[in-house]
Structure formats: structure tokens, C-alpha cells
Amino acid sequence: MSQNAVDQKVILLCAGGTGGHLFPAEALSHILQRRGAVVHLATDIRAKKYATDFPAVAVHAVPSATPTGGSVFAKFFAAIALARGVLTSRGVLRRIKPNCVVGFGGYPTVPPMLAAQNKKIPTVLHEQNAVMGRANAFLARQSTAIGTGFPDVKGIGQTLRAKSRFVGNPLRPNVIAAAAVPLPDISGKLCILITGGSQGARVFSDIVPEALKLMTSEMRAQLKIVQQVRAEDLERVNIVYNALGIQAETAPFFADLPMRMARAHLVVARSGASTVSELAAIGRPAILVPLPGAIDQDQAANAAVLAQTGAADVIQQSDFTARYLCDTLTALIIDPSDLTLRAEAAKTAGILDAAERLADLVLSTAN
């Protein structure tokens, strides 16, 4: 056996649920493989269908569930699913013998991370939000190291801070490529990108068309709309845009979303950690509408980080009205010069080498 084969590290990444968890795992995987590691992915059954192109030698489906909220029976069955997930994960660990297991948050990461901690395998948590999530908080004490997506993360006390390192949120190669695209010329039509993240957001399908109805036809003619719309809302949104004569492109999902972000003058979005990190890296002004009702208020904390640079306006969903958006877009059409300054401000919060930093932490922990 060659020395390279002996030294080759096996890394198990654990991510699932949404693209917000899978995207940073994907970015890290590219770097780890470039450095010679063998990468496996553990994810929940629901998310496995989204991970068919994930850069890993194998994708392992692990039973999981969320044990918070719902009835007593729902919590009981969730606990059973998590227990099954731990047993399944122990089998995966026996087969692939990882040198390190990396979790990206969310309850799908709990079974494999817990199984690894029980077997004394080194583990690294990555907390992508500005508030530590409940699953990560449950796993943090027994984790070997913690990488954070933001410099200051609420919920990390002194004990955890001692083994935490700020690395940023890993960015996929297509985001890095989009970050090299300059802000489009603001003298023509303003391109507005509306996205609700991997899960979509119905509020944008409700508010944006109504806001455009309130604008004058002359103002509407100065806009180009690119909007992610849930499949069930697509027809009604398109009917409004066609009736108004608006230049619009709508779809439930954009595979090239980072490049579309780069081609936009303004982004209207939720404020998940991946979205905020991509806005900062690419450098685009934004109107951020944090997901309301979240127990951890993580999206509000994420949005505040970008707002502090001056790049983003943060507005609660209850205040995100058609009149507000109409007035905001009208003001930008009349005087778009502020967009250039806000784009430059966004880039001051961007961490382009976050995947490299996290890879350093993972490989040093594996050693």
C-alpha cells in the first residue's frame, strides 16, 4: 500500500433538510477532495434526492426527524426515528471508518454526529447562522471543534468559545465565480431578483405583484423581474405580470441562482445564512425579510450582520407591504446611485475562502 493511501483521510459530512445545509457541505467537499480526502455524505431520506450530484464517493441515507413541536405522539415517533438513525449511522461508521465527522446543523445531522461522538471519532460542527441552532447546541459540548459562519454567534458560551473558530460560510464554486462579476450598469433597466431560498416564500408571490400594480406604467417599464416562485403560485403570478406587461422571468427553482444574483442590481430575499453569505461575497444590495416566528430568530440575526454594513434594508414580514415595496423600487428607479455604494458595502462582509478555512479546521481535527 502506498504512503498516500495510508495518509488519505476519510471524512463524513452530515447535512440535510434544505439547501442551506447542503450548500456549505458541498463547498467543503470540493476543497477536501482537492486536498486528497475521501468524502462521504450522510443525509436524511428526504434530502437524498437533492444530493444526487453531491461531490462524494457515496451518499448514505439516515433516518431522522425533528423532535420539537407537534403532539406528544409526534415527539415520540421522532425520537424513535432518531434512535434508528443512530443505529444506521453506527453501521455507516463501521464500513467507511472516517477520520472525522462534520455536521452542518439541523436534526438530520444528529444521528451520525451522535454515533461518531459515542465512538470517540473526532467531530467538527459548522454553525452557519448568527444564532446557534438547537441541534448544534445539543451536539456542541461533545464536539471536538466548532467552526462558525459569523464572527459573533449567540448561544456560544465561554466553554464552547474556547474550541470555536470563525471560518465563514463555505461558498460553492459557482458562487466564487459569480463574485467576480461586477455590478451591472445602473443606467439601464433595474434587474430585481426575488428569492425565498431553497424552500421558497409565498409572501413574495403575494406582495411583489401587488407592489408592481401600484407603480406607474412608466416606472414598471424600467424594471426587469427575476423571481423564484413556488410551483403552486406560478400561474397566478405570471397572469399578473403578463397583464401589466412586465419583463419577468419566473421559475420554482434557478440552478444558476448565484450568477443571477450577480446580474441583479437588487435582491429581495429571506435571510438564511447561505443567502446572506452569498450576497456578501457577490456584493449586492438587498431587502431582507427574515422568516417570522422562528424560535431562534436566526434569520433576523443573519440579516443584521449585512444591515450593519449598510448593504441591506431589513424589514419584518408584517411591514413588508405592497406600498412599502412600490415606494422603495420607485425611489431606486429615480435615483439608483445608492446601489453602487451598497454593493461595495456588502463585499466588506464577504468571506471568499471560508471553505478553505473550514477544510483546515477539519483536517487538523482529523489529525
Side-chain angles (χ1 to χ4, degrees):
M1 184 178 292
S2 69
Q3 184 63 39
N4 284 341
V6 172
D7 293 341
Q8 193 171 49
K9 300 300 180 187
V10 177
I11 309 296
L12 175 63
L13 307 183
C14 311
T18 66
H21 293 305
L22 282 170
F23 290 162
E26 177 185 337
L28 175 64
S29 183
H30 283 293
I31 302 301
L32 290 174
Q33 290 183 326
R34 192 182 304 162
R35 296 191 188 184
V38 176
V39 178
H40 290 251
L41 172 69
T43 188
D44 60 335
I45 296 168
R46 173 185 57 160
K48 187 177 181 181
K49 63 182 178 180
Y50 298 115
T52 52
D53 296 326
F54 193 93
V57 298
V59 178
H60 309 275
V62 174
S64 181
T66 303
T68 58
S71 67
V72 172
F73 288 107
K75 292 179 181 178
F76 172 77
F77 286 115
I80 294 297
L82 288 171
R84 288 177 51 232
V86 171
L87 290 175
T88 301
S89 299
R90 289 177 68 88
V92 173
L93 297 177
R94 280 196 300 271
R95 291 195 302 274
I96 71 173
K97 297 178 173 58
N99 299 98
C100 185
V101 179
V102 186
F104 284 87
Y107 280 98
T109 68
V110 170
M113 288 288 286
L114 201 57
Q117 291 173 351
N118 289 340
K119 292 177 68 68
K120 307 302 182 185
I121 298 171
T123 56
V124 174
L125 275 181
H126 181 263
E127 177 50 66
Q128 63 185 130
N129 289 296
V131 178
M132 177 165 274
R134 284 159 289 171
N136 274 356
F138 173 73
L139 295 165
R141 189 169 297 278
Q142 298 302 318
S143 294
T144 313
I146 301 170
T148 66
F150 293 98
D152 296 308
V153 177
K154 298 175 183 176
I156 294 185
Q158 288 302 317
T159 302
L160 298 182
R161 199 175 301 278
K163 57 181 177 182
S164 299
R165 183 189 304 178
F166 168 54
V167 296
N169 280 315
L171 301 170
R172 294 167 292 159
N174 57 353
V175 179
I176 301 297
V181 177
L183 183 73
D185 185 2
I186 60 174
S187 62
K189 285 191 175 185
L190 288 186
C191 180
I192 313 298
L193 171 67
I194 301 102
T195 175
S198 61
Q199 301 298 299
R202 176 163 292 166
V203 64
F204 296 143
S205 297
D206 294 339
I207 297 300
V208 179
E210 293 302 313
L212 299 183
K213 283 182 184 179
L214 295 176
M215 298 177 72
T216 65
S217 58
E218 291 79 10
M219 289 297 171
R220 286 197 296 266
Q222 300 303 311
L223 292 176
K224 176 185 178 183
I225 302 296
V226 179
Q227 185 170 352
Q228 178 198 8
V229 180
R230 286 182 174 185
E232 62 267 29
D233 299 325
L234 200 57
E235 183 178 3
R236 69 181 175 93
V237 170
N238 284 337
I239 287 174
V240 174
Y241 290 165
N242 289 336
L244 295 175
I246 290 172
Q247 183 182 351
E249 184 177 359
T250 59
F253 178 76
F254 292 115
D256 58 343
L257 187 63
M259 191 56 69
R260 290 176 181 272
M261 189 179 288
R263 293 171 182 156
H265 297 98
L266 177 74
V267 178
V268 180
R270 288 294 194 203
S271 50
S274 290
T275 298
V276 169
S277 297
E278 290 171 8
L279 281 168
I282 297 170
R284 292 298 176 268
I287 296 172
L288 298 177
V289 187
L291 180 68
I295 295 174
D296 300 325
Q297 288 297 300
D298 53 333
Q299 288 206 5
N302 299 340
V305 173
L306 202 57
Q308 288 169 3
T309 69
D313 293 330
V314 181
I315 183 164
Q316 299 305 308
Q317 183 165 306
S318 58
D319 297 323
F320 183 69
T321 63
R323 173 51 61 189
Y324 161 82
L325 187 59
C326 170
D327 292 346
T328 300
L329 294 182
T330 299
L332 288 174
I333 293 169
I334 294 171
D335 181 10
S337 60
D338 187 49
L339 293 172
T340 302
L341 295 175
R342 290 171 64 185
E344 293 171 355
K347 277 187 171 288
T348 63
I351 308 293
L352 294 178
D353 63 343
E356 298 278 1
R357 296 185 189 188
L358 184 55
D360 289 342
L361 179 61
V362 169
L363 294 175
S364 64
T365 303
N367 286 326

